[in-house]
Amino acid sequence: MENADADQTPFAAVTSQTSKLQRQYQTYLDKSTPFVLYRWIGTGVFLAVFFLRVFLAQGWYIVAYALGIYLLNLFLAFLQPKFDPSVEALDSSMDMEDGSAGGLPTKQDEEFRPFIRRLPEFKFWHAATRAITIAFVCTWFVVFDVPVFWPVLVMYWIILFVLTMRKQIQHMIKYKYVPFSFGKAKYGKASTS
């Protein structure tokens, strides 16, 4: 038994421990998958703790701004469909110019396709929680506390949010898709009979 451990290199030992930790981490992630509301509540509380840390320390505004930009980027990916209709329309017009596509539309092209997100909810939650954790850790290092005039960052972030959301809402209206399921009809076992 000692002979097997003695033959193991330090790199192999670190690799085996790392893979063991990754498997345990993935197990916890898999167990948390069905608890959507609790996961988001935990992330929201953690985000509030982060902002409380920034507010009380009166610093790390650049870290908070970078986190806000990243979370906005994640949210936009969460709202967008996996297969963007504007890109598909552009691709089909390019195919028509090449002569490779053409023909009349059929009923098969018009069949119902469910809304599939570009960034699924679980990956959105995981990336957001990981980003908040990294930003929180960054607030404990002085090197990330760059002095800036924070009201400018807040105003710039608000303007960026309004402009990107306006563009996203216009895209949703133009291509007639709704990324949320509330307000839509739900069909269950009772309605099938």
Side-chain angles (χ1 to χ4, degrees):
M1 182 99 176
E2 290 178 359
N3 203 8
D5 289 339
D7 292 341
Q8 192 176 21
T9 64
F11 180 73
V14 168
T15 303
S16 68
Q17 287 299 317
T18 304
S19 64
K20 180 182 174 185
L21 289 173
Q22 286 175 343
R23 282 192 306 271
Q24 288 175 342
Y25 179 69
Q26 188 62 46
T27 301
Y28 290 129
L29 281 179
D30 292 342
K31 287 181 180 179
S32 72
T33 302
F35 305 106
V36 177
L37 181 63
Y38 297 121
R39 285 189 283 120
W40 281 105
I41 288 173
T43 300
V45 167
F46 193 37
L47 184 63
V49 168
F50 168 76
F51 282 126
L52 185 68
R53 163 85 176 128
V54 169
F55 177 73
L56 293 177
Q58 295 293 311
W60 291 277
Y61 301 119
I62 290 291
V63 174
Y65 177 73
L67 176 65
I69 294 292
Y70 183 72
L71 292 179
L72 178 62
N73 186 27
L74 287 176
F75 184 63
L76 287 174
F78 177 72
L79 290 179
Q80 293 173 348
K82 186 172 186 176
F83 306 106
D84 192 0
S86 63
V87 174
E88 289 177 7
L90 182 64
D91 288 345
S92 66
S93 68
M94 296 289 262
D95 290 340
M96 287 185 160
E97 288 176 4
D98 296 343
S100 60
L104 299 172
T106 63
K107 291 286 184 187
Q108 183 180 7
D109 293 340
E110 297 170 5
E111 82 178 51
F112 170 74
R113 291 189 306 174
F115 183 79
I116 301 170
R117 298 180 188 284
R118 194 172 107 199
L119 181 67
E121 180 271 332
F122 185 81
K123 289 184 179 181
F124 176 33
W125 167 79
H126 187 251
T129 306
R130 189 174 44 203
I132 295 167
T133 304
I134 292 168
F136 187 75
V137 169
C138 286
T139 62
W140 295 98
F141 295 100
V142 180
V143 70
F144 296 112
D145 189 13
V146 179
V148 293
F149 187 60
W150 66 267
V152 172
L153 291 179
V154 171
M155 288 305 301
Y156 183 65
W157 189 88
I158 290 171
I159 291 169
L160 189 64
F161 177 79
V162 168
L163 291 177
T164 55
M165 289 310 296
R166 188 184 76 179
K167 183 178 176 184
Q168 183 63 35
I169 290 169
Q170 287 173 346
H171 190 268
M172 287 191 269
I173 291 170
K174 181 177 180 181
Y175 293 103
K176 298 178 178 80
Y177 66 91
V178 178
F180 301 109
S181 60
F182 55 83
K184 293 182 181 178
K186 294 185 181 182
Y187 302 99
K189 292 181 181 180
S191 65
T192 57
S193 48

